[in-house]
Structures are given as C-alpha cells and as structure tokens.
Amino acid sequence: MLRSERFRNLLYQALLLAAVVGIGWYLFSNTQHNLQTRQIQTGFDYLSREAGFEIAEKQIEYQSSDSYGRAFLVGLGNTLLVAGIGVILATLLGTLVGIARLSPNWLLSKIASSYVEVMRNVPLLLQLFVWYGLFTELLPSVNEAIAFGDWLFISQRGFRYAWPAEHPAWSAVGWGLLAGIALAFGWKSLARRRQLRTGLQWPVAWPSVLLIAGVPLLAWALMGAPTEIDRPVLEGFDFQGGRVLSPEFAALVIGLSTYTAAFIAEVVRAGIMAVDRGQTEASMALGLSPGQRLRLVTLPQALRVIIPPMTSQYLNLTKNSSLAVAIGYPELVAVSNTTMNQTGQAIEAIALLMAVYLAISLAISAFMNWYNNRVRLIER
Amino acid sequence: MADTLSDTRSVSSAPPTTSAGPLSWLKKNLFSTPTNSLLTVLTLAVLAWIVPPALDWLVFKAVWGPQPLAACDAVRGQGACWAVVWEKFRFMMFGVYPFDQQWRPALVIGILVSLLVISGIRWFWRPSLAAIWAVGIILSYWLMSGGLGLSPVRTEQWGGLPVTLILSIFGIGFAFPLGILLALGRRSSLPVIRSFSVVYIEVVRGVPLITVLFMASVMFALFLPERMRIDQLLRAQVAIILFVAAYLAEAVRGGLQAVPKGQVEAAQALGLSYWTIMRKIVLPQALKISIPPIVNSFISLFKDTSLVVIIAIYDFAYAVKKSVETDFSWKKYFIEAFLFSIVIYWIFCFAMSQYSQWLERDLARNTQR
Amino acid sequence: MNATTPLSAGTAATAIEITGLSKWFGQFQALRNVDLTVTRGERIVVCGPSGSGKSTLIRCINRLEPHQQGRIVVNGTELTDDLRNIEAVRSDVGMVFQQFNLFPHLTVLENCTLAPIWVKKRSKTEADATAMRFLERVRIAEQAPKYPSQLSGGQQQRVAIARALCMNPSIMLFDEPTSALDPEMVKEVLDTMLDLARDGMTMICVTHEMGFARAVADRVIFMDRGEIVEQNTPEAFFSNPQSERSKQFLHHVLDRYEDLG
C-alpha cells in the first residue's frame, strides 16, 4: 500500500495539512495565553471606541473624538488619494521618459537613461527622506516664504496656494468638465461613424479641446462668473486662507511618482521596442502618415505588451505608499500604527491593514486579467 | 538586348557627405530635424542653468576630508560638507558595534560581498555553491556574534552596512529553498499543496513589506511562548525570508514553465522518481533561466532592507539617519549624509543590475536555437 | 528639381526612371551608380547573390531607404525628402515583404481596408467591397474574418499581396516574397503573382525563383556588389550569360535546381 501513488499523494497532503494545522494551533494557543497575561483585549470592538488622536490631513471629516474605525477610513482615503495621484503622475512622467529614451536625439536619450538608472537603484525610503528633508529643512521659514505674486507661497510648512473661494459655480464647473469630456467622446464616435459611412474625416482633436475647455467655461459664466479667490495671508505663525500641500504629502507624492516613473519608463520602452520593425515598414509602404502609423499600428500592439507590467507597477506604487509612515504622512499604515500603539490590539490592526492591501491588489490583478483576455492576440 | 559591364573590379567611392567625424555626429544625433534641434537647445539651456551651480556645491566649493565642524559651517549653503562622512564614517558603517571589535563586521562585509561575486561567476553554478553559501553564512554569523574565541556581541549592538548585507544575503539564502518548494507546490497536482502554495504566494505578494515587518516586530512576541524571547533582528530576518520566498517562487515558476514538458516525460519513461527528476533535470535548467529575475529580486530586497528603519533596526540606512540626527552640531548636514548613503546603495544596486542585464543577454545568446 | 506634379497615370510610358543611384550605409556603399528604366506593364526580376543590393534597390523606390546620390522618378514624381512626394509615391506603389508584415491585431479584412480608409479616405463599405474583391482574386476570401496568426505562411503572404493591391497601385514591388515560406506553399504565392503579371501589372520582383523568372519576366536583372552587372531577356540570360559573375551565380543556383530534379 505504501507504494501506491494515490496513497502517497494523500499522505503528503495529509502531512502538510497536519503540519499547518499543528503549527497554527500552537501559535494560536500561545497567542491566547499571551494576550490574557498582558490583558490585551481581542475582537474588533475597539473600532467603535473613541480614537483620541488628531490626524493632520484628511479627505473626509474627522475629529479626535471620532472612532478608531473612522480614523481608519481617513487613513484609507489618504492612501487612495496618494496612490491615485501618484499613479497618474508616474504614468505621465514615465511615458515621457520612456519615449525620450528611444529618441534619436542623443542628449535626450542619455538624460532619460541616466534618470532611469539612478532612480531605479536607490531605495525609495532614502529618496523620500531626501525629498522630505529638502521640503522641511531647505525651504525657508514661513516668514520668509518664497512668494509667487500673492497666489503661491512655498515654505517649510508646505505649498500654500490661492484657490477660488467657495461658490456654487465651481461645482457646476466640475460637472461642466465631466460633460465636456463626455461630449468630446460623443463627437469622436460621431466622427468615426461618419468616416465609416462616407470616408470623410471630421477633425477630432480641436473640437475635443474646445468642448473640454469650453463647456466648463460656459458653466462658470452662466452661474455668475465668480472671480473671488481665497488667498493665503500670513497671520502670526502661519498662513490663513488658500489651500495647502503639506511637505509630507508633497514629498510622498513626488518621491513615489519619480521612483515609479523610472520603472514605467522601462516598461513603455520595452513595449514600443517589442513592435516589429516590419510593422512600421509595412505601414510606411501602404502610405500611412507617421501619426496614423503610431495610432493604428504601433500603439495597439505596444499597449498589449505594456499593460500587464504597467499594472504591476501601479500595484507596487500603492504598496510603497505605506512608506509614508516614515515621514509622517497619515495614511493607512501610519493611522494603524497609532491605533496599535494606543489599543495594544496589534493583531486586529495588522490583519485589517493586510486585508485592505490584499483587496486592492486582488482588484488590480483581476482587472489586469480581464484586460489581458480581452486584447489577447488570437492565436491559432 | 544584352547590356553588360566589364568584369573589372568595381570601384567604390566615399559617401557624399562627411559621414565620419564629430561634426556629422553632432548633426545626426542632435540636430537632425528642426524639432530635434529645438529640443537640444532647450535641454542644453536647462543643463547650463542647473549643472554649474550643482557642481559648485557638490565638488568645487565643498569641504572634503576630515575637517572640523567650523570648516563646514564656513561654506554652509555654498558648498557641501562631505567632512560629515569622514566624521561619522565608523558609525554609519558599523552602528554601535564595539569600537575595538569593528574589524569583525568589516571582515563580514568582505565575506558577504565575495559571496555575491562568486555566485555571479558561471563556473560556480553547481551544487557545491550551496556549501560555499553555508560556510559564508556560518562564518559571518560567528564573526558578528562572537563566542568560540571571539568576545560575544549582542545582536542589539549590530549595525550599519553588515546588517544590511546580512538581512539581504541571509534573507535570500534561506528564502531560496523555501521559494523553490513554493514554486513546485504551485505547479503540483495535489490540491492541498497547490492551494497552500497559491494562497501563501498571493497573500504575501499582495501586502507591503512594512506590514510584514510590523507583524514580525509586534506579533511574533505574541505567537511564541513567554519564555522564548526572540531578538528584534532575528524577527526582522524571519519576516524578510518569508516575504522574499513568495517573490522568488514567482521567479522560479517562470523558469519551471520554460523547461519543455517532453523532458519530464522522457525522464518518467526512464523510471526516475519525482524528486530525482526535479533535482537532476528540471531544476538545473529552470534555475538557470530564472537567474535574471532572481537577481532582480535580490536587488529589490537589498533596497527594501532599508525599511527596517521603521522597526528601529540598525541597518545601513538607519545608521546613517541616526548618525546625523543625534549629533546636534552636525545635524544640519543630513543631506550630505543621505547622499553618501544613496551613493553606496546605488553602487551596489547599479553593479548588480548591470550584471543582471549582461547575464540576460549572455543566456539569450547561448540558448538561441 | 522638385517635381510635385501629380501622378500622371497612363500617359507617360515610363513607370520608373533611375539615374546614377548610389546609396551608402555608413561607409559601406550598397548601390553604385545604378541606372534603370522600367516601362509600364513591364515585369522585371532582380536576382543576385546576397549583399548585392537588390533589396536595397527596390526599397529605395518607395523610400523605405533614402538615397544619397542620383535620381529616382516614379510615375513622374521625383523622390526627394519632400514628404508629400514620398506619400504620393507610396500610395501608388505597393510592396510585399519577405516576412509578410501583416498587422497581427487586425483581421485579414481589416488589414486590407486600413490604408484605403485612412489614406485614400474611402468609406468602410467601399473599402470592404474592394478588399473582398482582391481577397477573392488571391483566392482567400473565406479567411476574411480571421486573424493573421490563424493562417499558414502561404495564406498570409497572399493576404499581404491583396492588402497591397487594395490601394490600386500601378507598380508592385516584391522583396523575396517566397523566401520565408515552406516549400509546399511557394507555388500558391507564385501562382498569385503570375496571375497579377498576366493582368498587366508593372512588377519588380526580387527572387531566387528562376522558374518564375522564366515564366513571367520581360527582363532579368543580375546585380552584384551594388551594381547592375547584366540585364537581358530571361531566355538570353539563362542560356547565354555574358559576364563571369553571372555565369558563376547561375551555376550555383541552377545546380541546386537540377539536383532537386
């Protein structure tokens, strides 16, 4: 019976199961005992208890009298904000650098490759320290802030900028922007349909720009054209009014973006290089213009190669945002850390933390798999 | 109609424009089209604006060598104070390791770096490499912690560059067998083993290293019985090993997939057992193919060890940070200290990434069919 | 002298006029002082050992390679750096590549309609109709909704020929169209090219297929080391090569054919 393969397979699996369960049980009972001895509570009730600590930056309303649960949500909001902005900036910068690396201009291409080789080979944490140090130590104090007119002040306390004052017109502008974008897409599809029918091509670029800029402008004008601006004014020890980008936020976003951009640059470069030279030649031979070549032949093929590693970089950026705890930006990990220290309930806090990151990772992976399947080149 | 040329040797002439020489190189690479020329001019302008003042601060007006604080204060704002590196060098390199015993961590740095270099040389890609690693690791551990003739030094006193090297090299060393097992497990047909491997790999890869380090520093104490006390460094090391194993598993998985199925089938037909097939046929090929992604994992790990700053372990990054933070008079020169640490990290990582790229090209060349 | 006159289809008898063409790759001279005149409806086969410049020559005709010296005039338009001239020439000259170079992310039909829609500004229905016509002509119409990777090499090359034809070129260039094909698929592609030749298309074909040359060509051009060594009718060239180099070349190539029976 020992020689039967089926038996052996079952045996191995049973052994592994026993080992996992055994070790798990051992750890679990130890934990129970230790928690009891140290009189640490268990369970997630702490989430409804009062947090008692302030959070410097928040996207939703929060006070120290709010619960730990709410504090957690504030941290989550900050994480998503940083990750979102970071992803956008990193993609823009990374794509530019990647294309620059392929440029026939020697100077541009060398600068781009130096950028990649430097940023990729230095730990992100150190880069964050340097950015943070630059923003807090090297920038002047509030009294001697670098001023751009009276609408931007740069100092140790961050970037203080003027912003339009509260007015209903501005939310209308926001809606106008969305409407403009939707109309631009509509125009594009209308033009395409006409082209398929008659062969004539309506211009798409200029009308889109006009719509995206014009509709919000129209909304602004119709709602009263408010021009009042909330300007930062130095009062006492700090500015009042206007909006602020804290040095922590600025350091985190700039550090994350510039670091991830270096990796994205390589991904974009590999994608474009993966498109066979013959494709370009065939499209040239058919008489397509360089713009048409890029749009219809090169980019569709390059994107297929680019998207999977690109999403993996987005994942890394989101995970790397956890480094914010080292420079004091109150995102998820930092908030959880404070919670952990105050309640002593490390297990629940860390478990919650890991669960959230896991959820984000799985969501991004699922998207990638879906996209991959949709655009897979049909094989024989 | 016949049309022929004489059969005398054809005469070649030189191309019409100067296709050699610096002038034509400039024309081709920098000024080939109007847009290109514009870009070149703009870039040169920006460079001219940034580079001279930067060089001034970094090199020409900077204070080099073991100078006193006053010399640095004198050029504050105009020149970098590299003297801070000389001043704090021992601390940055070795942390709070006992001063007179610092030859030991210095030796450990040498041993571990040699381990890396040896592993890169093809000739050593054979099973005995594992033995070399084992010897290197044991030797380093002995030198750092003492006992058997050397005065003992507690792990709380270890610090600086040796800790960074230890965390990364021990990390990948111990994670390697675990990673291989996970990769094999993921491809296994046995459902329990496969699910365990998949869950492990996906969970570990989905969370940031910081959370794993937190888990290690805070939760390990709860997991183990009271009497057992594990020191901080060991906890961090175990966390790193468990973390890297998941990434190594994915790197090795690619290699396993690349080994043609026919080889396994031929071996099975010959009557070889699973483990023999793995050991003698599949793994040697799979690992060879996986080496570039494995090297990349190591480079990432080397950079990620800096995160132990968060749990207050004295690696190189933390030592550098502490060296200027705690000394009030030198504190304002933290930028120079950070730049120094950045340069050291960069040298290591750049060297390894160049090696990885060279290796990829080399392997691709030799496996062309 | 920039001739920006529109292509005068049908009036001029000369399709291609090449005078004193020289091209360098860096320091290496790939084409030396080549003169060539191609009349409308003429079928030319260019042969020669590798490195002789035959591919470079035809790639210069649609400006896939720029030339440094000499003149190339295609259907009355001179090929210079002027983009409009280049685009005008490319719309009128079709090219078939050794590696097919079909667009893998588009179906066979979309491959054929891409350029007519975007360059000639045809409507989709018109472009589809033209495409199906030519796909039928190369006997591959049933594969229209498939993707290139689902087809065999011979089928892909026939699609490539149809794709080029959809632009209604007056001249077709073939760069070793059968060299990348398995032997059993060479015939189907050569038959398609034969059909094309019988319909009066001006063709320049770089190939090693001597049987094709004998069946179709009005003129065989032998190139070696960047220059035209000999040009003649196929019968004259194959039975009575004049230069030593041609004799050597034919010896090697025809030997191979004779061995294969």
Side-chain angles (χ1 to χ4, degrees):
Chain A
M1 187 163 86
L2 272 172
R3 292 216 187 99
S4 149
E5 195 179 314
R6 244 188 99 209
F7 176 77
R8 278 221 299 257
N9 286 345
L10 285 172
L11 185 64
Y12 289 147
Q13 294 183 78
L15 281 176
L16 180 64
L17 218 50
V20 169
V21 168
I23 295 178
W25 176 253
Y26 177 68
L27 295 177
F28 184 67
S29 62
N30 278 334
T31 314
Q32 265 198 319
H33 175 80
N34 286 329
L35 286 175
Q36 257 182 339
T37 339
R38 296 175 207 199
Q39 291 180 315
I40 301 175
Q41 294 172 308
T42 52
F44 287 94
D45 324 313
Y46 75 93
L47 285 174
S48 45
R49 271 191 276 137
E50 182 182 312
F53 62 91
E54 268 300 333
I55 300 182
E57 300 189 55
K58 37 198 175 275
Q59 310 308 318
I60 58 178
E61 287 300 315
Y62 171 84
Q63 301 149 288
S64 55
S65 53
D66 283 326
S67 64
Y68 282 114
R70 192 163 178 89
F72 188 83
L73 286 177
V74 173
L76 181 60
N78 284 339
T79 292
L80 292 176
L81 178 70
V82 165
I85 296 184
V87 156
I88 295 174
L89 289 179
T91 308
L92 287 174
L93 181 59
T95 309
L96 279 175
V97 174
I99 293 179
R101 250 198 108 158
L102 294 170
S103 164
N105 187 320
W106 180 88
L107 206 60
L108 223 53
S109 116
K110 277 285 168 251
I111 290 181
S113 31
S114 313
Y115 176 87
V116 170
E117 289 303 329
V118 167
M119 301 305 271
R120 278 202 312 181
N121 290 314
V122 176
L124 178 58
L125 190 66
L126 289 181
Q127 295 189 34
L128 287 179
F129 281 155
V130 170
W131 288 112
Y132 187 61
L134 282 175
F135 288 148
T136 51
E137 303 282 333
L138 255 49
L139 288 178
S141 72
V142 171
N143 293 316
E144 299 156 19
I146 305 173
F148 289 86
D150 58 352
W151 49 274
L152 178 61
F153 295 93
I154 305 181
S155 73
Q156 272 178 350
R157 296 285 188 87
F159 298 77
R160 201 96 197 184
Y161 55 97
W163 195 248
E166 284 290 317
H167 193 282
W170 294 110
S171 46
V173 167
W175 289 112
L177 189 64
L178 288 173
I181 295 178
L183 283 174
F185 272 108
W187 173 260
K188 184 168 176 232
S189 97
L190 205 70
R192 181 109 175 88
R193 262 183 281 148
R194 182 159 177 272
Q195 184 200 19
L196 288 177
R197 223 181 40 244
T198 66
L200 295 167
Q201 292 160 25
W202 274 340
V204 169
W206 292 121
S208 301
V209 169
L210 219 65
L211 282 169
I212 295 179
V215 175
L217 195 65
L218 196 64
W220 175 79
L222 286 176
M223 292 289 289
T227 51
E228 192 192 323
I229 299 193
D230 191 8
R231 279 170 224 280
V233 172
L234 185 57
E235 281 170 28
F237 287 118
D238 198 0
F239 284 93
Q240 298 298 324
R243 301 274 191 95
V244 67
L245 277 180
S246 69
E248 290 83 10
F249 183 78
L252 191 59
V253 169
I254 293 182
L256 276 176
S257 311
T258 50
Y259 180 74
T260 313
F263 292 89
I264 288 183
E266 282 300 281
V267 169
V268 167
R269 184 175 78 108
I272 294 183
M273 277 171 50
V275 179
D276 203 38
R277 177 122 220 274
Q279 295 291 305
T280 329
E281 290 190 347
S283 28
M284 282 200 283
L286 284 169
L288 292 169
S289 75
Q292 289 169 333
R293 274 206 297 275
L294 192 67
R295 216 159 28 99
L296 300 167
V297 177
T298 313
L299 232 44
Q301 296 185 57
L303 275 176
R304 277 170 175 79
V305 179
I306 288 176
I307 298 283
M310 183 83 102
T311 4
S312 155
Q313 288 306 323
Y314 290 169
L315 222 81
N316 284 344
L317 190 142
T318 312
K319 285 190 287 177
N320 282 336
S321 69
S322 57
L323 266 66
V325 68
I327 56 172
Y329 180 73
E331 46 72 71
L332 204 52
V333 175
V335 167
S336 301
N337 197 20
T338 317
T339 308
M340 230 167 30
N341 290 333
Q342 282 187 201
T343 63
Q345 296 194 242
I347 300 180
E348 287 85 351
I350 294 180
L352 211 52
L353 202 52
M354 286 182 156
V356 168
Y357 275 107
L358 212 53
I360 298 178
S361 303
L362 290 176
I364 296 185
S365 298
F367 166 75
M368 187 179 91
N369 280 329
W370 168 80
Y371 183 83
N372 239 1
N373 280 330
R374 227 181 72 136
V375 299
R376 216 172 26 142
L377 287 178
I378 317 264
E379 300 284 318
R380 207 196 274 257
Chain B
M1 270 178 332
D3 189 42
T4 64
L5 290 176
S6 66
D7 281 336
T8 53
R9 279 205 75 91
S10 328
V11 174
S12 198
S13 44
T17 48
T18 44
S19 56
L23 219 63
S24 77
W25 181 90
L26 276 178
K27 184 167 190 292
K28 182 160 167 284
N29 286 310
L30 295 175
F31 298 105
S32 53
T33 71
T35 348
N36 240 358
S37 310
L38 185 65
L39 282 172
T40 305
V41 166
L42 279 175
T43 318
L44 284 176
V46 170
L47 284 179
W49 183 54
I50 298 181
V51 173
L55 271 182
D56 249 357
W57 187 82
L58 281 171
V59 182
F60 300 125
K61 298 213 181 97
V63 174
W64 296 84
Q67 310 262 19
L69 184 63
C72 277
D73 286 340
V75 293
R76 182 107 213 275
Q78 291 143 316
C81 175
W82 297 119
V84 72
V85 173
W86 268 266
E87 175 73 24
K88 299 286 173 189
F89 188 73
R90 289 263 213 155
F91 190 83
M92 290 199 245
M93 281 291 149
F94 305 117
V96 293
Y97 207 86
F99 203 78
D100 53 332
Q101 298 287 314
Q102 280 182 355
W103 59 272
R104 285 158 55 182
L107 204 56
V108 167
I109 294 179
I111 292 177
L112 292 177
V113 171
S114 318
L115 211 56
L116 283 182
V117 171
I118 288 177
S119 306
I121 302 175
R122 272 241 230 195
W123 190 83
F124 284 98
W125 289 357
R126 50 180 75 181
S128 50
L129 188 60
I132 296 179
W133 270 68
V135 167
I137 287 180
I138 295 174
L139 208 57
S140 313
Y141 183 75
W142 170 62
L143 278 168
M144 286 299 286
S145 61
L148 289 174
L150 292 173
S151 57
V153 178
R154 295 186 339 268
T155 58
E156 285 83 10
Q157 293 176 290
W158 297 12
L161 195 53
V163 172
T164 296
L165 285 169
I166 285 176
L167 284 175
S168 27
I169 292 181
F170 285 31
I172 208 157
F174 286 101
F176 202 66
L178 182 55
I180 293 180
L181 284 175
L182 283 169
L184 290 174
R186 193 170 179 158
R187 285 165 56 90
S188 163
S189 46
L190 307 177
V192 168
I193 295 184
R194 190 168 69 236
S195 4
F196 177 74
S197 308
V198 168
V199 166
Y200 182 99
I201 293 175
E202 291 304 321
V203 168
V204 172
R205 273 163 48 99
V207 297
L209 178 57
I210 282 198
T211 56
V212 178
L213 287 174
F214 269 160
M215 198 179 80
S217 95
V218 171
M219 284 162 72
F220 277 13
L222 294 172
F223 285 163
L224 297 165
E226 265 183 274
R227 294 144 281 121
M228 246 205 247
R229 288 182 65 248
I230 312 262
D231 64 46
Q232 248 330 48
L233 187 62
L234 183 58
R235 282 185 242 169
Q237 182 74 82
V238 171
I240 286 179
I241 291 172
L242 293 175
F243 187 74
V244 171
Y247 289 82
L248 280 181
E250 282 300 283
V252 172
R253 183 163 82 116
L256 287 173
Q257 276 176 334
V259 176
K261 200 157 177 255
Q263 302 214 3
V264 177
E265 291 174 348
Q268 284 172 332
L270 285 169
L272 296 170
S273 76
Y274 176 81
W275 287 109
T276 316
I277 296 178
M278 283 302 140
R279 257 187 328 125
K280 294 281 178 197
I281 295 169
V282 176
L283 281 180
Q285 295 182 65
L287 290 179
K288 190 165 158 209
I289 297 175
S290 307
I291 288 180
I294 290 177
V295 174
N296 287 338
S297 292
F298 183 73
I299 297 175
S300 299
L301 176 60
F302 192 77
K303 289 187 292 178
D304 286 343
T305 55
S306 54
L307 264 65
V308 296
V309 163
I310 313 280
I311 50 176
I313 289 188
Y314 265 92
D315 77 318
F316 182 54
Y318 197 49
V320 169
K321 188 165 185 282
K322 277 284 174 218
S323 71
V324 285
E325 256 176 33
T326 46
D327 187 338
F328 188 69
S329 39
W330 290 95
K331 186 172 176 177
K332 46 190 180 297
Y333 300 113
F334 71 97
I335 290 258
E336 286 87 338
F338 281 157
L339 286 178
F340 169 67
S341 69
I342 284 180
V343 167
I344 299 289
Y345 272 107
W346 186 84
I347 291 176
F348 272 96
C349 293
F350 184 67
M352 291 190 285
S353 78
Q354 288 299 102
Y355 170 73
S356 168
Q357 285 172 25
W358 171 83
L359 193 60
E360 252 179 300
R361 281 196 299 267
D362 196 54
L363 286 175
R365 244 203 318 270
N366 290 338
T367 49
Q368 287 286 3
R369 274 179 284 151
Chain C
M1 243 195 325
N2 264 346
T4 44
T5 48
L7 299 167
S8 37
T11 49
T14 309
I16 305 178
E17 174 102 40
I18 300 178
T19 36
L21 179 68
S22 290
K23 173 167 175 72
W24 285 263
F25 286 109
Q27 291 285 57
F28 170 69
Q29 189 168 11
L31 293 172
R32 300 165 207 274
N33 217 4
V34 172
D35 293 310
L36 179 65
T37 309
V38 180
T39 53
R40 267 194 187 286
E42 203 178 350
R43 284 87 49 121
I44 297 189
V45 164
V46 183
C47 63
S50 50
S52 54
K54 12 186 239 296
S55 284
T56 314
L57 178 62
I58 65 168
R59 285 159 67 92
C60 283
I61 295 177
N62 70 349
R63 199 77 176 179
L64 284 182
E65 302 285 355
H67 59 276
Q68 283 89 29
Q69 252 181 17
R71 278 186 78 206
I72 303 180
V73 182
V74 177
N75 281 329
T77 310
E78 177 172 358
L79 265 183
T80 59
D81 280 327
D82 190 333
L83 278 173
R84 275 169 304 159
N85 286 6
I86 296 178
E87 275 166 24
V89 166
R90 283 178 180 168
S91 307
D92 203 48
V93 173
M95 185 156 194
V96 176
F97 298 83
Q98 185 177 359
Q99 299 296 338
F100 335 138
N101 289 340
L102 292 179
F103 303 132
H105 59 296
L106 302 175
T107 61
V108 162
L109 185 67
E110 285 164 352
N111 261 275
C112 295
T113 57
L114 182 72
I117 290 178
W118 289 97
V119 180
K120 296 218 150 142
K121 316 246 195 278
R122 305 258 183 272
S123 72
K124 184 163 175 0
T125 17
E126 218 186 311
D128 279 349
T130 316
M132 286 310 289
R133 210 165 19 100
F134 284 112
L135 286 174
E136 265 156 30
R137 178 124 171 246
V138 301
R139 281 178 281 262
I140 207 162
E142 71 281 0
Q143 310 289 354
K146 295 228 183 111
Y147 283 89
S149 47
Q150 293 173 295
L151 306 179
S152 73
Q155 291 171 318
Q156 289 188 51
Q157 193 62 301
R158 285 189 279 150
V159 171
I161 295 175
R163 177 176 68 173
L165 290 174
C166 283
M167 291 292 280
N168 279 315
S170 59
I171 302 170
M172 281 286 274
L173 305 173
F174 292 86
D175 188 359
E176 305 214 31
T178 55
S179 301
L181 295 174
D182 291 333
E184 64 269 15
M185 296 193 238
V186 168
K187 183 176 186 306
E188 67 190 67
V189 174
L190 289 182
D191 283 342
T192 312
M193 288 162 67
L194 239 115
D195 263 342
L196 220 56
R198 287 205 190 102
D199 287 337
M201 172 72 74
T202 314
M203 290 166 61
I204 306 182
C205 188
V206 174
T207 186
H208 298 297
E209 298 291 332
M210 294 306 151
F212 177 77
R214 269 196 255 248
V216 151
D218 296 317
R219 223 195 317 169
V220 171
I221 294 180
F222 174 70
M223 286 185 72
D224 190 18
R225 276 176 280 191
E227 51 195 0
I228 297 182
V229 173
E230 192 174 331
Q231 39 183 325
N232 218 334
T233 60
E235 306 81 47
F237 178 71
F238 288 123
S239 55
N240 196 12
Q242 298 294 314
S243 93
E244 261 314 299
R245 286 187 266 170
S246 331
K247 287 194 190 131
Q248 259 182 355
F249 175 73
L250 281 175
H251 194 63
H252 283 136
V253 172
L254 292 178
D255 255 354
R256 223 179 44 142
Y257 275 93
E258 271 151 28
D259 281 342
L260 292 175

